[in-house]
Amino acid sequence: TTCLLLPLENSSSFLSRTSFYNNCWFFPSMYCLSLYNQIRFVKSALWYHGYGRPELYRLPSDGSAGSRELLLAFSWLLHRLSLLEQLLARNRVKTGDETSVCTCEDDLPNSQTGTTEIAPEYGLEDRVDVRYLQWLNGRLRFQWRSLHAQHQEQCKLLHKIHLFTSGSHMDQTLGHFSVTETDLVRQPENYKQLLQLLELETMQLEAFLEWKQLEPVYWQWMVMNQTDFEGIFSQKSTILFPLPFFPLQVKTKEEELQKEEFSATARKIQESVELKLLNLTHLCAPKKTQLHGSCRLVFRSKHPASKMAVSATEVIRELQMREASLERELKQLQEECRQRLDEIAEGLDGVICISP
Amino acid sequence: MSIVTVQLGQCGNQIGHEVFNAICSDVHGTHGLCSKKENESYCDACKERFFCEEESEVPVARAVLVDMEPKVISQTLSMAARSGYWKYDDRSHFCQKQGSGNNWANGYSVHGPRHKEVIMNLVQKEAEKCDRLGGFFTIMSMAGGTGSGLGAYVTQCLRDAFPTSFILNHVIWPYGTGEIIVQNYNSVLTLSHLYQSSDALLVHENDVIHKICAQLMNIKQISFRDVNQVIAHQLGSVFQPTYTAEGGLHYSRNPLGDLMETLVPHPEFKMLGLRNIPQMPENSLAYSTFSWPGLIKHLRQMLIANAKMEEGIDWQVRPPRLGLHPLSHSANKPLQFNTSIANLVILRGKDMHSVDLGSFRDPSLYTSWLNPQDAFNVWKTPRAFNKYEKSASLVSNSQFLLKPLDNVVGKAWNMFASKAYIHQYTKFGIEEEDFLDSFTALEQVISSYTIL
């Protein structure tokens, strides 16, 4: 009953469960985890992505119940994260060398702007020695450093390949081989494997198209079952599904309102909606200077950087400006804190407070 | 992944040379006792870590040699070249005509800044030769002038220039009855400065190694070389390739990172000690056999009774019983018991897969805020090390150094209180305030380790 991927299993023409696990970016080698850890992991991953329905987090950790909640959560993921599209993009067979570039201000991938930062309530026990947290933090720091070294090595090796194969590629704009191509040149028999991968990808894409055609049926079925999810609307953190839920919500709200308060409330709502819309347009506004996503790596030795390229000096200048503004903000906040401390200290008898 | 070794001062250069020697003779030995394939990947991993093989017949050590006197460096270079198995890069060393006169301040404030650019250029060149720079391993003495003063300065420069690389400092703790009058000052200054810029300090006490030479190795007249060879053997037993993950298929490519992540993630606890078993003269090895349970039993008792070698272990020391005094856990424990933060056991040789290490996973061995899952790790390889059919090493982040540290700080403080020899430091720009900062930093370390 704890299988999160129930709908996937049913649509057998899609990915097999095994290959789904293996390709999944948010389930690190799921098969190595114990059931308890799997459940913990699923809960925290959902929490991370902003899933707020408490019933899910109250599910027992032995996996004895919860398939309905999981189905709901899965549907939410499917809709909210564009899960399938992300997986397809992630597992695309790459014949060229790619790197991820992100010059967004908040450094968060677009899809994750909805993630929560609050720690889950069920997680840590009441008394945790701060030294343990420092220890864990230190481990993360070290792991990050190891990753960094690994990434630098990758860059170094890529550079070697690009340098040594320059002039070999038929495509003049590229000029050099990618890792996959170099591998094929060295071990031509590997093309069979590549072909297989490409065929598999085609199959997945076809299955995806099929799913897209059938998707409305799935959502309708979900909505038909929605009565089973008791109390779904009584929660603060209402889960927003595509269309069908919306009218219902508005209706209940409307009934709650008393007539004399109606206009005032309506105005308030109107204002907050406008504010949110403003926020949204700001968030969705195309930002010309900001790159985000995967880019094909092409080695250029002497040519001047093309228009799309990220210029280091530009980024540095931008970062410096940002640093300056942050520093100003910090100073201002410190000043405010100092003032508040002074105010508090004035209210205390017999205490001398020396401001930092 | 590769480690760049930085050998500083007379002591650092001599030990560094012995380390490369030990590693090389282990790789070239015919004692591997494992499959040919295993041996090959072991040797490859080792070479990637410590040597580069560009354009030369013998492997070239990834090392930078620094000293203020030319004598030791030229000896070291020629000895390595004569071995025929490996050598140093001819251009990867730096020396001057005059030493630091055992004055920490001279090394730190004068020689360091003056020669920073040249030294860091050498380091940069070595670093660029690595496909993947894993980090730095610096070797130096704690009490002298060049190694300790310049070493502390160079470590700081390394941290600035390579903020994301791992830095492991190997320091030699001076003899309790050392001949340098200001050795405690130097030690306090070195330790406090390293504690800031290094990720971990791996400590070898001269007194302990001396005892090992006398009692385990049966050496009558102990030379520096004998001491250094024991140290090199112990270091090799840690840094030669191992499988660091359970069921791993490849030798770890990130030895420094794996070591740090296992033992010193907490920035307040960076002191590492090293024990190994067995340790004996080479000619006795042929007549000895060992069983894993016996070795592990000894190693564990060496840990909890804080014995530095397998002879003279106090078998009366027992871990405190957990649960009796949950709130005053540290206050009520037996005095001699050595509480650990984290331990790493490294097993090399025959049948190491069958070894039961349950006794190291006992929660009572560790501080109350870490569980054995976090605090204990094992690295393994079936490949035997340096002619030992079976051998085990233990790297431990524990209270083992509390007493020596307290001693050094106490002695230095007594001298400082009477202002003895301070002028020798102030004349090179190390003021009384710097001393006070160093004392404070080390008192903090002592207190952190005491209240585990």
Side-chain angles (χ1 to χ4, degrees):
Chain A
T1 50
T2 48
C3 177
L4 175 72
L5 306 162
L6 198 69
L8 270 192
E9 277 190 321
N10 291 345
S11 61
S12 55
S13 68
F14 204 68
L15 297 166
S16 77
R17 192 167 149 216
T18 328
S19 78
F20 181 79
Y21 276 144
N22 289 342
N23 295 326
C24 233
W25 46 274
F26 54 81
F27 298 132
S29 51
M30 199 56 146
Y31 282 134
C32 307
L33 295 172
S34 68
L35 183 66
Y36 170 81
N37 281 331
Q38 271 186 48
I39 290 168
R40 232 182 110 106
F41 185 82
V42 166
K43 282 180 180 175
S44 52
L46 278 165
W47 184 269
Y48 175 75
H49 285 288
Y51 187 73
R53 189 170 149 82
E55 279 82 350
L56 178 101
Y57 301 103
R58 279 188 224 122
L59 289 179
S61 55
D62 58 356
S64 57
S67 61
R68 288 194 167 278
E69 283 304 327
L70 282 171
L71 177 62
L72 188 62
F74 173 76
S75 305
W76 185 86
L77 279 178
L78 207 58
H79 171 65
R80 179 65 178 266
L81 297 185
S82 325
L83 190 61
L84 299 181
E85 287 86 341
Q86 276 202 43
L87 284 175
L88 283 172
R90 197 153 187 111
N91 300 325
R92 192 163 45 88
V93 179
K94 289 159 190 144
T95 49
D97 301 322
E98 289 181 11
T99 188
S100 59
V101 177
C102 176
T103 58
C104 302
E105 253 180 39
D106 55 6
D107 286 338
L108 276 175
N110 293 331
S111 58
Q112 290 178 4
T113 41
T115 53
T116 46
E117 282 174 19
I118 318 150
E121 291 154 41
Y122 67 91
L124 302 165
E125 285 155 38
D126 293 334
R127 285 189 300 159
V128 180
D129 195 310
V130 70
R131 289 174 290 186
Y132 181 55
L133 299 180
Q134 287 169 324
W135 172 276
L136 291 178
N137 183 47
R139 273 183 67 173
L140 278 178
R141 222 158 22 90
F142 284 158
Q143 280 168 354
W144 178 84
R145 281 201 213 165
S146 296
L147 267 179
H148 183 80
Q150 218 166 326
H151 186 245
Q152 278 188 322
E153 180 189 28
Q154 200 195 5
C155 293
K156 229 169 189 170
L157 296 178
L158 270 178
H159 179 250
K160 275 188 193 170
I161 288 178
H162 292 175
L163 194 67
F164 293 155
T165 61
S166 66
S168 317
H169 206 285
M170 302 235 293
D171 188 340
Q172 289 297 317
T173 49
L174 290 174
H176 59 78
F177 287 157
S178 67
V179 174
T180 318
E181 288 160 347
T182 313
D183 184 51
L184 283 179
V185 169
R186 284 171 57 166
Q187 285 150 321
E189 66 276 13
N190 281 358
Y191 88 94
K192 278 181 202 153
Q193 219 184 336
L194 182 68
L195 193 67
Q196 258 178 10
L197 283 172
L198 285 168
E199 275 166 357
L200 185 74
E201 190 176 324
T202 315
M203 266 167 60
Q204 287 177 358
L205 284 168
E206 278 166 3
F208 178 71
L209 283 177
E210 198 180 322
W211 157 255
K212 270 295 169 197
Q213 278 173 351
L214 296 173
E215 196 179 355
V217 182
Y218 173 77
W219 290 116
Q220 241 158 32
W221 175 75
M222 275 301 288
V223 172
M224 266 156 54
N225 283 309
Q226 50 93 2
T227 41
D228 293 341
F229 296 111
E230 284 171 30
I232 189 165
F233 302 119
S234 60
Q235 300 300 329
K236 264 188 193 168
S237 50
T238 312
I239 300 159
L240 284 181
F241 271 124
L243 290 174
F245 287 98
F246 213 71
L248 205 76
Q249 251 189 310
V250 177
K251 213 176 162 194
T252 43
K253 265 256 154 115
E254 232 173 306
E255 281 166 0
E256 277 171 26
L257 293 172
Q258 298 191 351
K259 273 189 179 172
E260 59 264 36
E261 288 175 11
F262 184 78
S263 58
T265 320
R267 210 181 312 121
K268 257 187 212 159
I269 291 175
Q270 183 77 26
E271 275 165 17
S272 72
V273 165
E274 267 167 22
L275 206 72
K276 273 186 183 165
L277 278 175
L278 208 71
N279 255 340
L280 268 179
T281 44
H282 176 70
L283 274 175
C284 301
K287 289 161 190 167
K288 281 175 201 163
T289 52
Q290 290 176 2
L291 281 179
H292 182 88
S294 249
C295 289
R296 169 106 194 212
L297 275 175
V298 180
F299 178 58
R300 292 261 179 281
S301 51
K302 283 162 200 159
H303 308 288
S306 66
K307 277 178 196 168
M308 274 303 286
V310 189
S311 140
T313 45
E314 223 167 84
V315 175
I316 289 170
R317 200 182 319 126
E318 211 163 282
L319 284 174
Q320 278 168 345
M321 270 160 62
R322 205 165 149 65
E323 190 195 0
S325 87
L326 281 173
E327 235 160 64
R328 269 199 303 279
E329 195 182 328
L330 179 71
K331 275 212 182 105
Q332 193 191 332
L333 288 172
Q334 277 175 337
E335 190 53 44
E336 275 172 31
C337 282
R338 201 172 296 142
Q339 277 173 9
R340 274 181 59 195
L341 271 177
D342 283 344
E343 278 167 30
I344 293 167
E346 270 171 32
L348 296 170
D349 276 340
V351 177
I352 302 168
C353 186
I354 302 164
S355 300
Chain B
M1 193 210 72
S2 317
I3 300 170
V4 173
T5 304
V6 184
Q7 309 180 172
L8 295 144
Q10 178 178 344
C11 169
N13 277 299
Q14 284 171 341
I15 292 177
H17 172 257
E18 293 298 342
V19 171
F20 284 111
N21 243 359
I23 287 169
C24 228
S25 75
D26 173 47
V27 166
H28 283 100
T30 49
H31 54 265
L33 300 169
C34 59
S35 71
K36 201 174 164 223
K37 198 176 150 231
E38 183 72 51
N39 198 47
E40 265 171 22
S41 53
Y42 179 88
C43 294
D44 287 347
C46 167
K47 283 201 175 132
E48 190 196 10
R49 282 181 188 188
F50 294 104
F51 300 98
C52 48
E53 281 174 289
E54 291 164 27
E55 316 139 14
S56 88
E57 294 135 39
V58 292
V60 181
R62 299 183 191 275
V64 176
L65 291 70
V66 179
D67 200 358
M68 288 302 121
E69 292 167 281
K71 201 179 101 197
V72 174
I73 285 197
S74 65
Q75 272 176 358
T76 311
L77 289 176
S78 69
M79 272 197 317
R82 258 185 288 136
S83 78
Y85 288 115
W86 66 283
K87 63 173 189 175
Y88 285 107
D89 186 337
D90 291 331
R91 288 150 298 174
S92 192
H93 62 88
F94 173 79
C95 55
Q96 287 287 297
K97 298 247 156 59
Q98 211 175 11
S100 309
N102 288 326
N103 187 323
W104 191 90
N106 193 7
Y108 184 83
S109 313
V110 180
H111 288 313
R114 190 180 290 163
H115 306 302
K116 175 183 176 183
E117 210 182 309
V118 195
I119 295 171
M120 288 311 285
N121 269 340
L122 292 176
V123 171
Q124 187 71 39
K125 265 186 205 144
E126 263 328 301
E128 277 168 15
K129 282 188 210 160
C130 312
D131 277 340
R132 174 158 155 203
L133 173 65
F136 298 93
F137 180 51
T138 70
I139 310 176
M140 58 204 253
S141 89
M142 190 168 86
T146 300
S148 62
L150 184 68
Y153 184 81
V154 167
T155 307
Q156 228 164 287
C157 297
L158 286 175
R159 177 46 78 224
D160 290 343
F162 302 90
T164 59
S165 291
F166 293 104
I167 303 177
L168 174 66
N169 281 79
H170 180 254
V171 283
I172 299 294
W173 201 277
Y175 286 107
T177 53
E179 70 267 40
I180 307 171
I181 193 105
V182 289
Q183 70 174 30
N184 294 316
Y185 277 166
N186 291 344
S187 302
V188 166
L189 290 165
T190 309
L191 285 175
S192 62
H193 279 76
L194 289 184
Y195 226 78
Q196 289 211 337
S197 36
S198 179
D199 291 313
L201 277 64
L202 183 56
V203 177
H204 265 117
E205 296 165 84
N206 262 341
D207 284 320
V208 172
I209 306 297
H210 202 89
K211 254 191 212 163
I212 292 179
C213 285
Q215 293 178 25
L216 298 182
M217 307 296 283
N218 295 326
I219 301 171
K220 292 287 168 318
Q221 285 186 316
I222 299 161
S223 67
F224 270 122
R225 184 128 201 245
D226 298 320
V227 172
N228 292 344
Q229 277 172 349
V230 170
I231 294 173
H233 173 78
Q234 291 199 344
L235 289 173
S237 76
V238 174
F239 290 110
Q240 280 294 57
T242 51
Y243 299 98
T244 58
E246 197 66 44
L249 295 172
H250 303 283
Y251 277 111
S252 161
R253 294 196 61 222
N254 187 18
L256 279 185
D258 287 342
L259 183 91
M260 306 277 187
E261 203 192 309
T262 311
L263 292 169
V264 287
H266 197 295
E268 234 163 84
F269 304 96
K270 297 184 179 181
M271 293 288 196
L272 296 180
L274 179 47
R275 295 167 177 82
N276 71 324
I277 188 169
Q279 175 88 46
M280 54 172 54
E282 204 180 307
N283 49 19
S284 317
L285 275 171
Y287 312 104
S288 320
T289 51
F290 305 100
S291 76
W292 281 119
L295 292 177
I296 296 304
K297 194 178 162 202
H298 274 75
L299 196 60
R300 180 182 189 262
Q301 194 63 24
M302 282 161 73
L303 169 69
I304 63 175
N306 199 12
K308 308 293 165 52
M309 58 176 173
E310 54 178 309
E311 217 157 272
I313 301 175
D314 182 356
W315 288 92
Q316 301 304 315
V317 179
R318 291 262 167 276
R321 278 201 288 164
L322 287 180
L324 285 180
H325 308 279
L327 291 173
S328 49
H329 171 60
S330 51
N332 280 304
K333 65 170 193 166
L335 273 179
Q336 325 86 316
F337 178 73
N338 178 36
T339 305
S340 303
I341 294 174
N343 291 314
L344 167 67
V345 167
I346 300 154
L347 306 175
R348 297 175 185 277
K350 221 168 124 191
D351 304 327
M352 49 77 213
H353 282 300
S354 60
V355 180
D356 174 24
L357 285 161
S359 60
F360 276 96
R361 294 198 173 88
D362 177 356
S364 59
L365 259 55
Y366 299 94
T367 174
S368 55
W369 47 271
L370 271 182
N371 56 27
Q373 271 165 306
D374 287 311
F376 180 67
N377 268 282
V378 193
W379 295 356
K380 290 175 184 174
T381 173
R383 212 282 191 172
F385 175 66
N386 255 351
K387 304 192 175 104
Y388 288 83
E389 183 193 60
K390 293 169 187 153
S391 62
S393 310
L394 169 75
V395 192
S396 165
N397 186 353
S398 67
Q399 297 175 317
F400 80 104
L401 211 61
L402 259 180
K403 220 169 130 190
L405 184 59
D406 203 47
N407 263 336
V408 164
V409 174
K411 281 184 188 164
W413 180 259
N414 286 339
M415 270 170 70
F416 183 71
S418 57
K419 303 223 182 226
Y421 302 102
I422 294 292
H423 64 280
Q424 289 194 5
Y425 292 77
T426 48
K427 88 177 169 204
F428 290 115
I430 296 295
E431 303 298 330
E432 282 182 30
E433 215 168 279
D434 298 315
F435 273 94
L436 284 175
D437 285 346
S438 293
F439 279 119
T440 321
L442 292 186
E443 288 295 354
Q444 176 64 45
V445 174
I446 292 173
S447 126
S448 298
Y449 270 104
T450 309
I451 54 163
L452 276 185

